[in-house]
Amino acid sequence: LLMPQLWLERPIVEGIARSALTLAASESGARLLQEGIQTASLDMQGLLLEQLRSHVWKVAASAHGNHVVQQFIMAVPPPLVGFIVDEFRGRAVEAAKHKMRSRVLERLLEHCPSEQMAPVAEEIMHEVVLLAKHAFGNFVIQRLLEHGDNFQRQRIAHELGRCCGDLARHRQAHNVVLSALTYCKDEEKCFLAQALAAVRGGAALLAKASTAGGRA
């Protein structure tokens, strides 16, 4: 790792940036890049970030590289990660079901405004039930419920409500339903509560949500 002041030296950062893709593929290299992202100025961060352009999809699938992409998303202003969002467009559902890419998608939903994420969110909302049951996809739906807009929450709640009997007892999906009961507006909460009250296992889930403070 570099001494913090060295990340202010443009020639040094430029040299590291030229090897960014190779570095992102290894544990030590990814740690070096993450250190730079956390320490460098916005200008120097931009030098490192630019090397990922057109390579985000591949790097995000890497056991080490995904942490580099996540760090960028958390460290720089949302407009600068627009090209990262673009690389997830058209394959957001595939990303949501991937162990590493789903984590990057979660960070995008957390740190980018809903308007910027709207095309990606639209793809996700077309597969709410599928993703709610998925080992990785369920976390993506939960992040969208937490950080999306009210219209997106409404759509998700209505999709969940149609399959409450199945989802309430599902290992992953029941957590998505709990998130909906936490973050949705009262109207959607009531809709879900009514749907859950009519199915086996629904009452227990409602009690859990009430204990956690998720219901109005």
Side-chain angles (χ1 to χ4, degrees), residues 5 19 22 28 34 36 46 68 71 80 88 94 122 128 138 148 207:
Q5 61 267 29
S19 301
T22 301
S28 59
Q34 289 178 76
V68 175
Q71 192 66 59
L80 295 185
F88 277 74
E94 180 183 352
E122 184 66 27
V128 166
N138 80 91

Side-chain angles (χ1 to χ4, degrees), residues 11-205:
I12 293 176
V13 177
E14 287 178 339
I16 293 172
R18 284 193 289 271
S19 301
L21 291 177
T22 301
L23 290 169
S26 70
E27 181 177 2
S28 59
R31 286 180 177 174
L32 177 65
L33 291 173
Q34 289 178 76
E35 179 198 25
I37 297 163
Q38 294 170 337
T39 307
S41 65
L42 184 60
D43 183 43
M44 298 303 164
Q45 288 173 335
L47 289 176
L48 297 170
L49 183 60
E50 186 61 27
Q51 303 306 308
L52 296 184
R53 192 176 294 274
S54 302
H55 300 285
V56 169
W57 186 251
K58 180 179 179 179
V59 175
S62 163
H64 306 300
N66 83 89
H67 295 291
V68 175
V69 182
Q70 289 185 65
Q71 192 66 59
F72 270 125
I73 294 167
M74 293 186 288
V76 305
L80 295 185
V81 300
F83 73 89
I84 297 178
V85 178
D86 290 342
E87 289 204 38
F88 277 74
R89 291 181 65 172
R91 40 192 179 183
V93 174
E94 180 183 352
K97 295 188 291 183
H98 190 277
K99 182 178 181 179
M100 307 303 176
R101 292 181 179 125
S102 62
R103 299 173 184 176
V104 175
L105 190 49
E106 286 185 65
R107 300 295 87 73
L108 287 172
L109 290 168
E110 288 172 354
H111 292 274
C112 296
S114 57
E115 310 84 62
Q116 185 177 10
M117 292 299 296
V120 170
E122 184 66 27
E123 295 174 37
I124 294 169
M125 288 186 293
H126 279 295
E127 297 290 354
V128 166
V129 175
L130 171 71
L131 293 176
K133 296 179 180 180
H134 194 273
F136 309 126
N138 80 91
F139 294 109
V140 173
I141 299 294
Q142 290 183 65
R143 296 295 83 71
L144 184 53
L145 281 164
E146 183 177 0
H147 299 280
D149 60 35
N150 287 328
F151 176 68
Q152 291 165 345
R153 294 188 185 100
Q154 181 185 59
R155 286 182 58 184
I156 293 172
H158 280 268
E159 287 297 317
L160 296 175
R162 294 190 182 100
C163 304
C164 267
D166 185 19
L167 301 180
R169 300 186 301 274
H170 192 276
R171 180 179 177 180
Q172 279 88 29
H174 85 278
N175 289 316
V176 177
V177 178
L178 284 173
S179 289
L181 289 168
T182 299
Y183 296 112
C184 287
K185 296 180 72 174
D186 288 348
E187 183 178 349
E188 282 72 51
K189 289 180 182 180
C190 289
F191 169 77
L192 284 172
Q194 291 172 358
L196 286 167
V199 300
R200 184 165 62 90
L205 195 59

